[in-house]
């Protein structure tokens, strides 16, 4: 059975999928499997504890109770910034990323958000294709994140 649910960042299921996400990001960055210490550092460098309540949201897709994908958004007035968009490699190509992002957009509209934006790395080609397929347009840099190489925005 497949579900998408809103979870708190403190939920064990959130920790599991975010750890998997950070393992993949760090491994791609280093060009080799990341060590547990490197994954721990990546999580400290990119906290997600604010993806709840008035400051954000975290959605997780599950299959038979196991996390297979996630997407989050941070809220700042009428702008939301996407973060932690990830699908487990074995679950890719089944539309989970698209479903999660469309649901994030619905949450954003309900909160009065008019613009969704994000930054990403250029080597995350699957993610970039997903964003562009959902109508996100490349824009000029709106932050100085050390790992950001490509910026996107979408009006809701």
């Amino acid at each position: 059975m497949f579900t998408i649910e809103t979870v708190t960042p403190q939920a064990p299921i959130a920790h599991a999928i975010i750890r998997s996400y950070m393992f993949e990001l760090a491994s791609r960055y280093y060009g080799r499997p990341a060590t547990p210490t490197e994954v721990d550092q990546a999580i400290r460098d990119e906290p997600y504890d604010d993806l709840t309540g008035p400051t954000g949201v975290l959605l997780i897709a599950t299959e038979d109770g196991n996390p297979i994908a996630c997407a989050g958004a941070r809220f700042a007035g009428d702008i939301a910034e996407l973060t932690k968009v990830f699908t487990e490699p074995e679950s890719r190509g089944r539309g989970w990323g698209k479903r999660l992002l469309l649901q994030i957009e619905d949450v954003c509209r309900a909160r009065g958000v008019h613009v969704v934006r994000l930054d990403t790395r250029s080597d995350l080609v699957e993610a970039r294709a997903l964003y562009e397929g959902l109508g996100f347009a490349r824009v000029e840099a709106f932050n100085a994140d050390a790992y950001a190489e490509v910026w996107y925005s979408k009006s809701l």
Side-chain angles (χ1 to χ4, degrees):
M1 178 173 172
F2 296 98
T3 63
I4 295 176
E5 58 187 289
T6 301
V7 300
T8 66
Q10 295 76 28
I13 198 167
H15 290 298
I17 193 72
I18 297 297
R19 187 160 191 85
S20 186
Y21 164 72
M22 292 306 228
F23 172 80
E24 180 164 330
L25 280 183
S27 295
R28 284 189 180 198
Y29 180 77
Y30 292 119
R32 60 165 170 74
T35 67
T37 300
E38 290 166 337
V39 174
D40 292 342
Q41 185 60 52
I43 290 171
R44 283 190 298 276
D45 290 346
E46 293 189 29
Y48 59 99
D49 58 329
D50 60 336
L51 299 181
T52 189
T55 58
V57 65
L58 179 62
L59 301 180
I60 296 182
T62 62
E63 180 177 14
D64 299 326
N66 297 309
I68 59 172
C70 60
R74 285 188 176 89
F75 304 119
D78 66 349
I79 296 175
E81 189 162 333
L82 287 179
T83 187
K84 309 299 184 267
V85 178
F86 173 72
T87 301
E88 292 283 2
E90 62 274 9
S91 296
R92 291 183 184 152
R94 296 172 26 200
W96 287 107
K98 181 178 181 178
R99 286 184 206 128
L100 282 168
L101 291 183
L102 291 173
Q103 192 159 334
I104 287 276
E105 288 180 11
D106 288 343
V107 170
C108 288
R109 284 185 197 93
R111 291 190 181 226
V113 169
H114 301 289
V115 174
V116 178
R117 64 186 189 182
L118 65 109
D119 63 61
T120 191
R121 294 187 344 218
S122 59
D123 65 325
L124 301 177
V125 294
E126 305 93 337
R128 291 178 46 213
L130 172 64
Y131 304 137
E132 291 169 10
L134 289 172
F136 284 82
R138 286 183 71 161
V139 296
E140 293 296 318
F142 53 79
N143 65 24
D145 186 303
Y147 299 106
E149 299 169 317
V150 183
W151 293 262
Y152 289 98
S153 183
K154 179 178 180 180
S155 296
L156 299 180

